Amino acid sequence: MYKKYLLLLISVTTLIVANGGAVPTVVVGEDWSFPASVQQAPNSGLYSEEASPNYNVNLKVFDVAWKQINPSQGVYATNIQATVKDMPFATFASQNASTSPFWMRIWNSGDLWAPSYVKTLCNVGVIGKDYDGEGHLPIWNTCVWNEIKAMYRYFFLTKNMRADPRLKFIQIPGAFNWCEFDFDVIGNYSTSTGYTFAQFNTWFQTAMDDLVYIFNGENNDPTDDYAYKLIYTGEDYPFDVDSWPAAKNKLASDAVNRGMGIRTGITEVSNFHLSNIPAYGYLIDSNGYMVLNKSSILQNNPKRVIATENECYNACGYKVPAANIFYAVKMSNLKALQMGVNWLYVVNNDSYLKQYTAHWNWVRLSLGRYPNTAFDAWVALRDAQDKFSYGFSWTGAPYVKNYERFLTQRDVVGAVTKRGTTKYTNVVESNNGIAYEGRQTDIPNNPSIVFYLDDQFIVPTSNISTPVQVKVTYLDNQATSWILQYTNTAGVLVSSDPVVQQGTSKALTTATFTLTDALFQNNVQPGNSDFKITTTGSQNIEIWFVRVIKQ
Ligand SMILES: *[C@@H]1O[C@H](CO)[C@@H](O)[C@H](O)[C@H]1NC(C)=O
Ligand SMILES: *[C@@H]1O[C@H](CO)[C@@H](O)[C@H](O)[C@H]1NC(C)=O
Ligand SMILES: *[C@@H]1O[C@H](CO)[C@@H](O)[C@H](O)[C@H]1NC(C)=O
Ligand SMILES: *[C@@H]1O[C@H](CO)[C@@H](O)[C@H](O)[C@H]1NC(C)=O
Ligand SMILES: *[C@@H]1O[C@H](CO)[C@@H](O)[C@H](O)[C@H]1NC(C)=O
């Protein structure tokens, strides 16, 4: 049966396919190369507490505790030092003397971060302790919030710091552990505050409006608007409020819709709770792919900040064995890029910047791209469990397919793929679940894998070929062969020379094809795709990563 099919394929192939296409160059390993002309995108980069110029981490923090800059009511100071969590914070004035760009945190909610006058003035006390044992004040208390608001207003409106070009972004509202506005870090708010969700939500919406209003100059003049420098640091739905389970809301989306950016801190656990993130503008579709909500204002405004943090591999209580370190770093970075991140928090050493320079350079230069400004488009083929319970289902749930950036792969008749054979379990932590990396053809009925380029990456109506390299990273796990097929400028389906796998190395291997005559016009069958990879040998192929790079 299979042999008969192969013969048929060969005879059909000789009729309609032009041969003598691209000759692949095959090199063992993954490939993160990019054209030498690629520069870092505007409003993007790596950031951290400290700058590490050797690794292109050029955005450092400007950290102050509330009590340092507002020691008593209506009094603002720039000459006071403080210590927070054993970290010495220099005076506002000395940090403000920097000539380099910075990002900011104002540490507000901690009992030891807030000025002591607040507790007396507002008649409040500690409402709960974070996982470091530090107490926090209720920032939603009207009196407390009025004082915080007045402080933001003084520095960012009166002193106009919002317009300072050195200030790239500020994490707000500056509450709870490490200024991460995470509602479970100090226990159960509904029991510790006595608030209903409605009461809390009223404060929340007003507070976000207050900060946006201050940063937009408290006027209707759009030329002095800087709310895009505010980044909301709470978790996306439905992690936003755990303490009022009946009242799940989209607080992160509300903040983003008011004009703020967003940051999460946990893309290291890359398969978990990050498949459906409405505030980021990405949703899981009914077939189990993560897709962009095309009306996302956040993802369409190049001034906004879309951030995450990738440093907890052998830090923050996590432990990843040496054999899986690169895998963990890579998957978290691909996840961040899939989410449209433009600013990525790293820690020199903990993020393995030194060990994986080639990969990190590609990541840094990929941050902040749009389909029409990207130098490459890629897909990581995979099937991974998302153990978070969203309350809805999809085909294949709880497994989610692929990480995709301007290049997608879809299963269509004749190109229905199977899971890859390499299984990872609980990398970084148990919530990360099971991931099968790579996807296989399924011969004889499904000998191809089909791919679709974003129509803004290469415009399909153009009849002029855009020179590209296609890099295909496959697992050399069995003896077989395959070809890359695309339509050329004469409208003919062209096949590359075959990549012949020995299947002996068992290693990830990258084949590079240089195409100078390809048109990507959604006319490759099956499935009206832009190009496909087709098995020509007697065994299935297993593809992990495909990248189309503009030359
Ligand atoms: C911070 O530094 C800038 C630039 O020198 C200056 O214009 C601004 O007044 C300073 N801010 C404060 C609050 O001192
Ligand atoms: C918090 O307490 C409320 C009231 O006792 C309860 O309904 C809710 O389940 C608790 N939330 C969490 C996350 O434990
Ligand atoms: C898509 O984004 C728009 C604009 O922010 C929003 O109104 C809409 O609710 C989003 N769709 C979903 C399904 O989240
Ligand atoms: C950096 O990482 C290495 C392990 O790769 C570790 O031995 C060393 O202590 C770390 N240094 C710092 C300063 O964290
Ligand atoms: C390409 O498109 C242009 C504009 O539509 C047309 O003038 C030209 O003849 C086309 N060239 C080819 C080779 O089809």
Side-chain angles (χ1 to χ4, degrees), residues 55-130:
Y55 303 110
N56 297 293
V57 185
N58 295 318
L59 191 66
K60 64 178 181 189
V61 76
F62 185 135
D63 259 334
V64 281
W66 181 14
K67 67 182 180 185
Q68 265 181 281
I69 55 173
N70 183 191
S72 49
Q73 193 178 16
V75 174
Y76 301 101
T78 60
N79 61 348
I80 300 173
Q81 299 176 355
T83 298
V84 166
K85 291 187 182 290
D86 296 329
M87 299 181 296
F89 286 174
T91 65
F92 181 101
S94 70
Q95 295 187 72
N96 194 39
S98 166
T99 53
S100 308
F102 51 78
W103 61 288
M104 267 188 109
R105 272 182 304 210
I106 303 181
W107 298 60
N108 293 316
S109 66
D111 185 26
L112 302 174
W113 317 342
S116 54
Y117 84 84
V118 168
K119 283 196 285 190
T120 328
L121 177 76
C122 301
N123 191 26
V124 293
V126 164
I127 47 133
K129 288 193 172 175
D130 64 33

Side-chain angles (χ1 to χ4, degrees), residues 250 257 278 283 293 295-297:
K250 295 192 173 176
N257 290 340
L283 304 167
N293 172 357
S295 4
S296 164
I297 298 158

Side-chain angles (χ1 to χ4, degrees), residues 204 231-240 249-264 273-284 290-293 295-301 304-307 339-341 390:
F204 178 87
I231 44 177
Y232 177 72
T233 61
E235 295 279 343
D236 204 346
Y237 173 85
F239 266 5
D240 48 0
N249 206 320
K250 295 192 173 176
L251 298 183
S253 294
D254 292 344
V256 164
N257 290 340
R258 283 175 158 76
M260 297 185 184
I262 190 163
R263 184 229 59 149
T264 188
H273 179 244
L274 292 167
S275 305
N276 199 78
I277 40 176
Y280 280 81
Y282 280 90
L283 304 167
I284 188 163
M290 233 178 112
V291 295
L292 175 65
N293 172 357
S295 4
S296 164
I297 298 158
L298 179 76
Q299 295 283 353
N300 284 306
N301 184 344
R304 295 285 193 91
V305 178
I306 307 168
M339 290 162 61
V341 161
Y390 293 95

